Amino acid sequence: MKNEELIAKLKTIVAPYVQNEEAFKNLSEDTDFVKDLKINSANLVDIILDIEDEFDIRLENEDMEKMLDVKSAMGIVTSKLNS
């Protein structure tokens, strides 16, 4: 899966939880879910569950702890899809 496709899917997943629309419009690999998009920790759990469903993968606790920004999420999803 190409980075652009992955970012597009992640954008769709995080959209309902975003509190900062301006940062969301400029979402990139460097976007931080909490600092930039103002997503709270409870919603981060929802996002992780949505990612698992969307990509049909299972994320471990250590994966979840690292998934704080778009780049980390992309790396984790890509490695899970490739394994």
Side-chain angles (χ1 to χ4, degrees):
M1 180 176 296
K2 293 184 179 149
N3 280 355
E4 297 81 29
E5 292 175 287
L6 192 48
I7 288 177
K9 284 190 176 202
L10 288 172
K11 203 169 183 178
T12 303
I13 291 168
V14 300
Y17 308 104
V18 170
Q19 300 300 314
N20 183 341
E21 290 297 328
E22 198 56 43
F24 182 66
K25 287 179 194 168
N26 301 311
L27 187 130
S28 71
E29 287 187 27
D30 299 322
T31 302
D32 185 284
F33 293 133
V34 177
K35 293 178 189 147
D36 298 326
L37 301 179
K38 309 294 185 219
I39 296 172
N40 67 38
S41 56
N43 286 341
L44 271 178
V45 173
D46 293 330
I47 289 169
I48 287 167
L49 295 173
D50 293 346
I51 287 172
E52 286 183 326
D53 291 343
E54 174 67 33
F55 295 101
D56 195 28
I57 57 175
R58 287 294 146 236
L59 298 170
E60 306 302 325
N61 285 342
E62 62 204 36
D63 298 326
M64 295 177 200
E65 290 168 8
K66 294 177 193 167
M67 203 176 284
L68 299 174
D69 55 44
V70 174
K71 184 179 261 179
S72 300
M74 290 172 64
I76 291 166
V77 169
T78 301
S79 78
K80 291 288 182 182
L81 289 173
N82 292 335
S83 62

